[in-house]
Amino acid sequence: MMATATLTRLEGERMLRHPALWLGLPVMLWWVSSTFDQDWSGALYTGLIPAFTPLLLGISLASMSAFSREHVPVADDAPMASSQRSAARLLAGLGPVALTALVVVAGTIWLRVRGGLDLGDEPGRTLHAHYTLPELIQPVLLACVAVAAGAAVVHVVRSRLAAAILLVVGWFLVGTYWLFDSPVVRYLAPVQPQPWQVEVGPWDADPTAFPSTWLLSAPGEYQDHWARIVVSPAVAAWHDVYLVGLVAVLVGIAVPGRFRVPLLVGGVIVAAAAAGMQSVVAP
Amino acid sequence: MSITSTDTLAVTGLAKRFGGTRAVEDVTLSAGRGVIGLLGPNGAGKTTLLRMVATVLAPDAGDLRLLGLDPARPGDRIEIRRRIGYLPQSPGLYAGFTAYDLVDYVAVLKEHTDKAWRQREVRRVLESVELAHVMHKKIRTLSGGTRQRVALAAAMVGSPELLVLDEPANGLDPDQRLRLRSLLSQSQTVLMSTHNISEVSALCQQVYVMFSGRIRFSGTPAELAALADGRVWEDGTQDPLAIRSWLTAEGIYRHLGDPPAGAAIVAPTLDDGYLLLARQEHR
Amino acid sequence: MTVWLVPTARAISWWPLVAVAALLAGASALAERTDFPVVGLLGIAAAALAAAVVAGLHDAAAALLSAVPTSLAVRRARRLLLLLPVELAASWASGLNVPLGGLVALTAAGVAVAFWAGPLAGAAVPLAWVVVARAGGFAWDQHLALVTIAAAAALWTGRNR
């Protein structure tokens, strides 16, 4: 147990020193700042969570690098089993996860100080929108997914270079959230930005006739109708559960030992159930 | 040391730096037919020297003549490469190839385009390193020593006039080492680096010893051993005045240095000559 | 003359190109199903294909082959001769209509950097290019001709490095 803890600390320090992690952070901040340049209402609310993509990619690459060491036979005769070594590497991933949590906390404080975000179009508009707790948890769970994904991809592909390419493409695809903005895919794509839009009237409807508590999205370049903007903490919460299932599946793929099958089976069940619940509670 | 135009290999004042590190400095050596050994501790510059001789690395200064040609000239370099074989220290191999496929591929890259000739030659070299029975097995299934022999066979394809071998006995068992010796003794000119002094004494007509990028000794193995003439003695206890002392398998101490009066002087070996040289170098 | 063809094809690691092609085909199908304009995918598709080509330049037996008369430039050219048509085919098969200019520029830049600094750095270039462009909110397909010319010059000068 002590040996596993020591290896965890060692791998954790190494993972936190990985340059991809520290390159991901400024690129993420740049992504955030470029989100400010977009002039449509809700751009920030919708764009801030996908802006974590470079950091998540950096975490995945750092994790991939740590897990690629499993392919080098070092001290195979040592008493520490390969499953213990994998567990130590996974636990070492908590360092980058904690870093992500710190970023989320700092961001939340910044949003409180700023007074919130712009969301909706007149007459259904607010300048003080704040993320709900399940939405704030999402980036932290995404960091867990990033650690597990890095481990799983290099376990399957074995080549570091090929694994790195797949991770970049994968994170970029799921990070550019609007690509998968369809009813089913948005439950399954790891990055799930809110709010949701529910069509409430044609382009020539009178927006003042809608309840005054509604946030609205006006007809424009991308839609020919009035829509209600809904932030759903219930969907976000079930999406968080889905991410937990996804982490279990990826860990099951990456880590050998007796927990592999329970992790895979349990992860698939949890992920499938949570995806199903998202569709049930969706607005 | 005199260099003649008939030498297969003639090196004068060769130097190579990597940043601030002088890897090879003012090296002069020559070789006609036979096996030439290159001894020295790790980091002495042996691999850098061999890479320059194999035309893989361009020297910063000095003159290099191989087979009467100048590798600095592109036309000459290609002609030299047609006539030499090179075994690097860590020869990577294509794991998915069979031993036969790999050696055949190297033969193609050595510009042997006649298929029938290649078939005969590939079989010949694989048989010469005693790999006929595994020639159609995938390299990923072969042991480390067998892979080393595959790489050796690849270096020997086409009966090169000059073989440049960087620690060819790496990973070979004693029986395979013995066979390597008889194989190399049949070759025209071989320049090989090794840490194994018994290899040098059994095989080499000429030996060079390198320390810190410079040649510190050149001569026959007997001349290297003779450096320690009258400076090796044995007795039952450790001698603090000796510059090196070690316990032998017979349970007696062997000492190197200036013997005390009445010491039991013994005949020096090649190891004694090398160790004495190494000790003088480190003073 | 083409005796090198089959062994060179076997020596190439096709994994990255096949995996990227499959991933892009899946994403393209999904985008089509959801009526999403695929333009947002083009940059990452071009970058991924370029990176996969660069990954195919990695030669596991490079040290063993370093002193053969077939020069490094020729060996690299042979690999590219095999990789580039597959890259184009994968781009076409993905159904994304990746712009050829962008694909050429990113591939040339990646290959040029790979010649000078190794396949890992080379593969990182097109990917970093697109990720940084996305993060900075600017178009990835700017100055393509300039980049291609600069990369071609770097390719030529570094062909035997």
Side-chain angles (χ1 to χ4, degrees), chain B residues 54 56 78 81-82 84 86 88 90-94 96-98 101-102 105-106 108-111 113 118 151 154, chain C residues 1 3-4 6-8 10-12 58-72 75 78-79 160:
Chain B
V56 175
I78 290 175
R81 288 181 171 195
R82 289 187 183 115
I84 68 168
Y86 171 53
S90 310
L93 305 173
Y94 303 126
F97 277 42
T98 65
D101 291 342
L102 184 98
Y105 184 43
V106 173
V108 168
L109 295 176
K110 285 188 173 179
E111 301 179 341
T113 49
R118 267 200 339 269
Chain C
M1 284 304 282
V3 70
W4 53 269
V6 173
T8 306
R10 287 186 58 205
I12 291 172
H58 171 70
D59 188 349
L64 185 70
L65 305 178
S66 56
V68 295
T70 307
S71 68
L72 183 58
R75 281 183 279 135
R78 287 174 178 174
R79 280 177 177 252
N160 269 316

Side-chain angles (χ1 to χ4, degrees), chain B residues 87-161:
Chain B
L87 174 71
Q89 194 174 18
S90 310
L93 305 173
Y94 303 126
F97 277 42
T98 65
Y100 181 94
D101 291 342
L102 184 98
V103 179
D104 186 49
Y105 184 43
V106 173
V108 168
L109 295 176
K110 285 188 173 179
E111 301 179 341
H112 300 296
T113 49
D114 179 354
K115 191 175 179 183
W117 182 90
R118 267 200 339 269
Q119 279 178 341
R120 282 195 307 276
E121 179 65 5
V122 170
R123 282 178 185 279
R124 183 190 70 78
V125 288
L126 283 169
E127 279 164 11
S128 73
V129 294
E130 301 193 323
L131 289 180
H133 62 297
V134 294
M135 69 166 79
H136 295 301
K137 283 194 173 176
K138 289 265 169 76
I139 287 171
R140 71 165 62 91
T141 66
L142 303 178
S143 69
T146 311
R147 288 182 193 197
Q148 179 74 358
R149 283 187 287 156
V150 174
L152 187 64
M156 292 172 67
V157 78
S159 305
E161 293 165 53

Side-chain angles (χ1 to χ4, degrees), chain C residues 26-109:
Chain C
S28 162
L30 209 57
E32 199 174 325
R33 231 179 113 79
T34 55
D35 270 346
F36 178 80
V38 291
V39 68
L41 262 178
L42 298 181
I44 193 65
L49 288 167
V53 166
V54 175
L57 288 176
H58 171 70
D59 188 349
L64 185 70
L65 305 178
S66 56
V68 295
T70 307
S71 68
L72 183 58
V74 171
R75 281 183 279 135
R76 282 170 164 170
R78 287 174 178 174
R79 280 177 177 252
L80 285 173
L81 217 58
L82 293 166
L83 286 161
L84 294 176
V86 179
E87 181 193 30
L88 288 175
S91 164
W92 174 81
S94 71
L96 288 171
N97 284 326
V98 179
L100 192 62
L103 194 59
V104 168
L106 287 178
T107 306

Side-chain angles (χ1 to χ4, degrees), chain A residues 15 50 61 76-77 86 90 105 114 144 148 159 227 243 246 248 263:
Chain A
M15 217 183 267
L61 292 175
D76 281 343
D77 55 332
S86 300
L90 271 179
V105 169
R114 193 177 182 271
C144 298
S159 150
L243 291 179
L246 196 60
L263 278 168

Side-chain angles (χ1 to χ4, degrees), chain A residues 148-169:
Chain A
V153 171
V154 80
H155 180 82
V156 174
V157 179
R158 301 194 86 77
S159 150
R160 283 167 59 118
L161 189 52
I165 293 170
L166 290 179
L167 286 169
V168 175
V169 177

Side-chain angles (χ1 to χ4, degrees), chain A residues 30-31 34 173 178-180 182, chain C residues 30 34 36 41 48 132 134-135:
Chain A
W30 193 17
W31 190 316
S34 73
L173 290 181
W178 48 84
L179 172 64
F180 301 126
S182 71
Chain C
L30 209 57
T34 55
F36 178 80
L41 262 178
V132 165
R134 173 63 191 85

